[in-house]
């Protein structure tokens, strides 16, 4: 199958700019309140969709997350999480809002299940997902050597 990257118009660029500003603001809050970025490691609880950030052996931040999609570095393809047939109904409901938004405005990057992408593209649609869902930040996790992009749904450490 020969996939092509969906076209981007000026209104999508405006959406991305707003999303980028939103995520930047969220990351400033994470940095100020939790020293985000200064952690030594992170650990995942994929059953509960939680991620814990640890510095010097102490948890400094715990957050709920929503997987948005993943980037296959070998094929260079982005795949939306909602395209996974094993997705839970709760996750599908969360991600349907993003897909429906894309359908309403004819944004192929939000509605085409799989498309050729760079890491920058993956970050861009993850930022948009976080913006549309009121995420608390974005992050890239590794699962079985594949980068998965997530947004934080809630902060569990105060």
């Amino acid at each position: 199958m020969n996939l092509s990257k969906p076209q981007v118009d000026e209104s999508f660029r405006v959406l991305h700019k707003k999303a980028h500003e939103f995520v930047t603001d969220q990351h400033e809050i994470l940095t100020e309140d939790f020293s985000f970025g200064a952690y030594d490691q992170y650990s995942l609880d994929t059953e509960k969709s939680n991620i814990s950030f640890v510095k010097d052996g102490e948890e400094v931040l715990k957050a709920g997350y929503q997987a948005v999609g993943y980037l296959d570095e070998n094929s260079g393809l982005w795949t939306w999480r909602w395209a996974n047939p094993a997705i839970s109904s709760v996750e599908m409901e969360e991600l349907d809002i993003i897909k429906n938004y894309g359908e309403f405005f004819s944004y192929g990057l939000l509605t085409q299940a799989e498309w050729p992408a760079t890491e920058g593209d993956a970050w861009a649609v993850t930022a948009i997902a976080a913006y549309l869902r009121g995420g608390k930040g974005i992050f890239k996790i590794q699962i079985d050597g594949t980068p998965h992009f997530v947004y934080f749904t809630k902060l569990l450490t105060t």
Side-chain angles (χ1 to χ4, degrees):
M1 180 181 351
N2 189 9
L3 294 175
S4 61
K5 185 175 177 180
Q7 294 296 310
V8 172
D9 64 10
E10 188 56 32
S11 67
F12 188 86
R13 287 183 189 90
V14 169
L15 172 63
H16 175 245
K17 183 176 189 243
K18 288 180 181 179
H20 180 73
E21 291 169 357
F22 173 80
V23 167
T24 298
D25 290 346
Q26 295 304 307
H27 279 258
E28 285 176 9
I29 292 167
L30 289 173
T31 301
E32 289 172 13
D33 293 352
F34 302 101
S35 299
F36 188 70
Y39 55 86
D40 300 319
Q41 61 186 4
Y42 69 89
S43 62
L44 299 173
D45 179 342
T46 54
E47 291 251 332
K48 294 181 180 176
S49 296
N50 290 337
I51 184 168
S52 297
F53 296 92
V54 177
K55 178 164 178 63
D56 299 328
E58 188 175 319
E59 183 179 276
V60 293
L61 173 64
K62 186 173 186 177
Y65 71 85
Q66 171 60 58
V68 176
Y70 67 91
L71 182 63
D72 183 322
E73 293 174 319
N74 294 323
S75 66
L77 291 177
W78 167 261
T79 303
W80 280 97
R81 174 77 176 133
W82 52 256
N84 183 335
I87 190 172
S88 73
S89 59
V90 172
E91 278 188 290
M92 186 54 120
E93 189 175 310
E94 180 81 12
L95 295 174
D96 258 351
I97 292 168
I98 299 157
K99 186 179 177 191
N100 291 341
Y101 187 91
E103 287 170 354
F104 184 82
F105 289 103
S106 299
Y107 295 148
L109 291 179
L110 303 183
T111 61
Q112 187 172 311
E114 193 173 76
W115 41 272
T118 64
E119 186 166 319
D121 294 329
W123 282 117
V125 294
T126 303
I128 290 169
Y131 173 67
L132 294 176
R133 299 303 297 138
K136 306 298 182 195
I138 60 177
F139 194 67
K140 178 174 70 170
I141 61 176
Q142 294 288 328
I143 299 177
D144 298 328
T146 301
H148 290 249
F149 293 78
V150 304
Y151 62 84
F152 302 139
T153 55
K154 59 189 170 213
L155 303 181
L156 302 169
T157 303
T158 54

